[in-house]
Amino acid sequence: MKRFILLISLALTLSACSRQSVPVVDDGVLEETAVNPVLTPATPSSRLLAPGSRSITFTVTTQDPSVVKADSSNKPFSAMSLTATSTDNNRTHRFIVSLQANKPYSFYIKAAPKNNPSRPYAVTRKVNYRVVTPYLPTFPRIFTLWWPEWGQWQDVTVNSLSKLSVFVFNLHSYHETNAFKPIDPDIFKQAREQNPSLRILTQLYSTNGCDVSYCDELERVDNDPDHPLYKKIFVRKANDTLWTYGAGQDWEHPVYNLSHRETVQYLLQKNLSLWRNDLLTFDGVFMDNCWRGFEGVNDGRGTGISRPIDLDGNGVADDPVVRDRAYEYGLQDFLKGLKNAMPNAVIICNAIGGYPNKTALHTPGQPLKDRQGNPFSYSSAVSGKEFEDNIYALSAKENWLTFSNFMNEYRAWCKSPCFTFVPSKGSEDNDGTDDKNFEDFRAMRFGLATALMGDGLYLRNVYATWSKNSWFDEYDANLGYATQGSGQPIASGSSVWRRDFDNGIALVNTSKTASIIVNLGGTFKALEGSPDQDPDVNNGRTVTRIKLAPLDGRILLRP
C-alpha cells in the first residue's frame, strides 16, 4: 500500500483535537500516529465558524493520485455521499459544504488510490464544525456560574437555559472525584432554538487548576528529569517546593509557571486538545483565575508578594517586579494563543485586574506592552472579564472604588459584543452557609441596575457555592435594546445614573447614605412582581417620579 499525506486547509475555521483511536483521526491531532499511511493535517484553527457563514470549502491534498470522499457518518468508502473535485493530477481535492447556523457538522474523509479505488487507505480523518449565531440578547442579560450543583443535572431545563444569555457549565475541578454525568445534548439544542443568542461555556484552566488525569500528566512531566519541561510546569519557591493556590482548601491547586514560553506552548496544546473535543457543544470558556502576577494573590499562607517565589529555578526568590512582568508576558501569550486558535469562541477571564490596556501591578495605569515592547490590550485576546468583587465594594463600607471609576473600567472591558460579567455577592458568600440576603431585594436591584449601565451580564449570587439559579422578577423585564450608550448621571454631580432602553429605563442610586427623589421626565410603569418577592416596589403602578433609597436600583417600563 502506498504512503500518502492528507492535508486539510480550510477556507473557514475547522479543527478537532481528540484522542480517537485509529483508524479515525480527528483533524488537528498533533502527534504522529503509528499507522500507514500517515495523515498530516494543516495547522487547525477553530471549529466554531463566524456568524453568517453559509458554506465552507476545505481542500484535501494527497501525495499520490487519489480519489477522496466524505460523509457525515463513518461509512465504507464506496458508500460515501460526497466526492471531491480533484485537480493537480488528482492530488488536490476540494469539497464545498453548505452550512446552517447552530447545527453541528461532522465529516469523515477517506481516500483511495486513483488506480485502485476499491482499496481505500487505512486512515479516516474526521472534521467537526458549527456556525455560531449572532449574539443579540435583549436586556437584562443574565448569566449563571457553577450552576447546577454538581450532579443536579435535572435542574437544567430548556426553559431555564433559554432565559439566560450565558450559561457556564459547572465543571469546576474540585468535583473531579465525582463521575461526570453529562446533560442531555437535546436540552442544549432546544434551548438554542428558543434563544439563538444563548452562549454555553465550559471551564478552562489558565493560571492554576486541573482535573485529576490532567494534573497527573502535568506532574509526570514536571517531575521527569529527562523531559525538557522538568521543573518548569509549576511555580516553585526558592526552597524548591511547590507554591500552591488555596492551601488547605478543597480547591487547592499548583500554579502554572507561565514565565517559560515552552510551558505556555505545552499548556496551549494540551488545553486546546481538551477544549476542541467539546466545541460542537460549547461556545467558549470561562477561566476563573487569570492573574497578571502574584502581587496580592493569597496562597492561603500569605499574599504572593510576600512569598519567596522562584520562577527561573535558580534557588533565589525573584524580584517581585521582574517576577510579575515575566508572568504577565506568559499570560498574554497564553490568551493570545487561545484566541488565535479559536477566533470565534467566547473567552472570559476572572481575576484579571485593571484596565485591559494598562498595567495593573507595581506601576498601575501605565501603557501595557507585550514582551516585544508593542502596545497590548487584553481586549484583543479575551471577550470579557468578571468583576467578581466590585459590586460588593461599591455597596460596602469601602472607599477604594468609586462608581465613576468602576464605570470607566466597565466600559473599557465591554467591547462589542460584550461578555463582561458583573455579579453581586451576598454577605455570607464565604462562610459556607446559605445567603439570607435572598430577602434583600434592594441589594439585587442595585447590582442589576449597575450592570444595566453597560452591556454586560448580571448574576446575584445568593448562596455560598454560586450553585443556585435564583430568579428575580426583574430578570423577566423585557427592556429591549439600549437606545443610548452606557448609563450616565441624570445631572452633573448626581449620584443617580440612568440608561434608556426601547421598552423602559434603568436607574441606580450610587449613594451609600442619601435617598434621592428622581423626576423621570415622562410616565413610566413599575414592574408587576410576584407577591413572594418585593411587591411594594414592583407594584405595577404608573409613576412620573420615584424615591430611590441609598444603593438601590429600579427597572421601569414604558406604558
Side-chain angles (χ1 to χ4, degrees), residues 274-328:
L274 295 171
W275 185 12
R276 286 189 178 116
N277 290 337
D278 296 321
L279 273 185
L280 292 186
T281 298
F282 297 112
D283 300 293
V285 293
F286 172 81
M287 293 178 281
D288 194 21
N289 288 311
C290 296
W291 305 323
R292 298 174 67 170
F294 295 90
E295 183 180 8
V297 174
N298 196 327
D299 66 351
R301 296 170 291 265
T303 57
I305 197 169
S306 66
R307 311 310 303 175
I309 292 174
D310 178 20
L311 295 181
D312 57 12
N314 65 355
V316 179
D318 300 326
D319 175 81
V321 176
V322 175
R323 172 201 69 197
D324 288 346
R325 182 182 298 117
Y327 194 83
E328 183 164 19

Side-chain angles (χ1 to χ4, degrees), residues 281-447:
T281 298
F282 297 112
D283 300 293
V285 293
F286 172 81
M287 293 178 281
D288 194 21
N289 288 311
C290 296
W291 305 323
R292 298 174 67 170
F294 295 90
E295 183 180 8
V297 174
N298 196 327
D299 66 351
R301 296 170 291 265
T303 57
I305 197 169
S306 66
R307 311 310 303 175
I309 292 174
D310 178 20
L311 295 181
D312 57 12
N314 65 355
V316 179
D318 300 326
D319 175 81
V321 176
V322 175
R323 172 201 69 197
D324 288 346
R325 182 182 298 117
Y327 194 83
E328 183 164 19
Y329 287 155
L331 176 65
Q332 292 173 0
D333 291 343
F334 179 79
L335 295 176
K336 285 190 292 185
L338 289 180
K339 193 63 177 179
N340 289 339
M342 302 290 178
N344 298 303
V346 177
I347 301 174
I348 301 175
C349 277
N350 186 24
I352 184 168
Y355 283 79
N357 61 342
K358 297 180 181 180
T359 56
L361 306 178
H362 307 294
T363 56
Q366 298 299 309
L368 181 63
K369 296 183 179 180
D370 62 16
R371 67 170 73 249
Q372 288 77 35
N374 300 314
F376 178 79
S377 175
Y378 283 101
S379 294
S380 65
V382 300
S383 311
K385 68 169 286 184
E386 180 187 6
F387 285 97
E388 180 174 354
D389 296 310
N390 293 66
I391 298 296
Y392 177 79
L394 290 171
S395 58
K397 294 180 180 179
E398 300 182 15
N399 298 314
W400 64 270
L401 182 65
T402 67
F403 197 85
S404 293
N405 287 342
F406 166 73
M407 283 302 303
N408 288 336
E409 191 173 335
Y410 183 15
R411 293 186 192 104
W413 279 99
C414 222
K415 66 179 186 178
S416 182
C418 181
F419 287 100
T420 289
F421 289 174
V422 187
S424 62
K425 302 195 294 186
S427 59
E428 285 80 47
D429 182 53
N430 295 312
D431 72 354
T433 62
D434 288 353
D435 187 350
K436 304 306 180 185
N437 280 347
F438 184 85
E439 303 299 330
D440 189 356
F441 296 103
R442 189 175 79 179
M444 180 280 301
R445 290 194 300 268
F446 174 75

Side-chain angles (χ1 to χ4, degrees), residues 19-30:
R19 296 184 175 276
Q20 299 278 351
S21 59
V22 292
V24 177
V25 182
D26 276 10
D27 177 45
V29 171
L30 301 178

Side-chain angles (χ1 to χ4, degrees), residues 85-101:
T85 301
S86 299
T87 58
D88 188 26
N89 194 23
N90 295 294
R91 289 181 171 86
T92 301
H93 318 270
R94 176 175 296 177
F95 293 93
I96 300 177
V97 181
S98 297
L99 304 172
Q100 297 179 26

Side-chain angles (χ1 to χ4, degrees), residues 143-162 164 166-171 175 183 187-188 201 459 465-471:
F143 77 98
T144 62
L145 189 61
W146 313 144
W147 167 77
E149 194 168 352
W150 191 256
Q152 303 299 311
W153 313 119
Q154 70 278 1
D155 292 349
V156 180
T157 65
V158 173
N159 182 59
S160 62
L161 271 185
S162 61
L164 301 172
V166 172
F167 168 56
V168 180
F169 191 32
N170 187 358
L171 291 177
H175 298 299
I183 294 174
I187 292 178
F188 290 161
L201 309 185
L459 163 68
T465 62
W466 297 77
S467 61
K468 303 294 184 181
N469 182 20
S470 301
W471 201 260

Side-chain angles (χ1 to χ4, degrees), residues 15-297:
S15 65
C17 249
S18 71
R19 296 184 175 276
Q20 299 278 351
S21 59
V22 292
V24 177
V25 182
D26 276 10
D27 177 45
V29 171
L30 301 178
E31 58 267 27
E32 290 265 333
T33 56
V35 296
N36 186 20
V38 176
L39 304 182
T40 308
T43 301
S45 52
S46 175
R47 291 181 296 179
L48 288 176
L49 310 181
S53 301
R54 298 181 182 277
S55 66
I56 186 167
T57 300
F58 56 93
T59 301
V60 177
T61 303
T62 56
Q63 181 174 334
D64 300 306
S66 304
V67 178
V68 177
K69 293 185 176 183
D71 200 276
S72 57
S73 60
N74 192 12
K75 298 177 180 178
F77 179 78
S78 60
M80 290 187 146
S81 60
L82 299 177
T83 300
T85 301
S86 299
T87 58
D88 188 26
N89 194 23
N90 295 294
R91 289 181 171 86
T92 301
H93 318 270
R94 176 175 296 177
F95 293 93
I96 300 177
V97 181
S98 297
L99 304 172
Q100 297 179 26
N102 249 341
K103 178 181 178 181
Y105 290 84
S106 295
F107 278 92
Y108 296 82
I109 304 166
K110 298 184 179 184
K114 177 66 175 178
N115 60 3
N116 193 3
S118 62
R119 297 291 301 274
Y121 297 116
V123 177
T124 300
R125 184 163 304 286
K126 180 186 177 187
V127 290
N128 308 278
Y129 52 97
R130 176 165 58 88
V131 180
V132 297
T133 53
Y135 180 74
L136 297 170
T138 55
F139 290 91
R141 296 170 174 177
I142 307 301
F143 77 98
T144 62
L145 189 61
W146 313 144
W147 167 77
E149 194 168 352
W150 191 256
Q152 303 299 311
W153 313 119
Q154 70 278 1
D155 292 349
V156 180
T157 65
V158 173
N159 182 59
S160 62
L161 271 185
S162 61
K163 290 182 176 182
L164 301 172
S165 295
V166 172
F167 168 56
V168 180
F169 191 32
N170 187 358
L171 291 177
H172 205 284
S173 57
Y174 52 69
H175 298 299
E176 57 198 14
T177 57
N178 293 273
F180 175 65
K181 298 179 181 179
I183 294 174
D184 185 348
D186 282 343
I187 292 178
F188 290 161
K189 177 183 177 182
Q190 293 174 46
R192 283 191 173 110
E193 290 172 350
Q194 290 190 22
N195 177 11
S197 289
L198 172 65
R199 295 297 186 263
I200 300 174
L201 309 185
T202 186
Q203 184 185 14
L204 185 67
Y205 305 106
S206 54
T207 56
N208 68 94
C210 45
D211 58 29
V212 170
S213 58
Y214 188 32
C215 270
D216 287 348
E217 180 181 353
L218 295 181
E219 288 172 3
R220 283 194 297 271
V221 171
D222 194 62
N223 294 320
D224 183 357
D226 296 325
H227 198 282
L229 294 179
Y230 175 54
K231 291 189 177 182
K232 291 183 177 181
I233 294 290
F234 298 121
V235 171
R236 282 178 161 77
K237 294 183 283 189
N239 63 4
D240 202 31
T241 60
L242 291 181
W243 188 89
T244 59
Y245 174 62
Q249 306 296 321
D250 58 357
W251 40 266
E252 180 179 7
H253 285 293
V255 178
Y256 304 138
N257 191 341
L258 301 181
S259 69
H260 297 294
R261 297 190 194 186
E262 57 269 38
T263 298
V264 171
Q265 292 304 311
Y266 180 82
L267 293 172
L268 273 173
Q269 177 178 326
K270 293 300 178 183
N271 277 299
L272 288 170
S273 297
L274 295 171
W275 185 12
R276 286 189 178 116
N277 290 337
D278 296 321
L279 273 185
L280 292 186
T281 298
F282 297 112
D283 300 293
V285 293
F286 172 81
M287 293 178 281
D288 194 21
N289 288 311
C290 296
W291 305 323
R292 298 174 67 170
F294 295 90
E295 183 180 8
V297 174

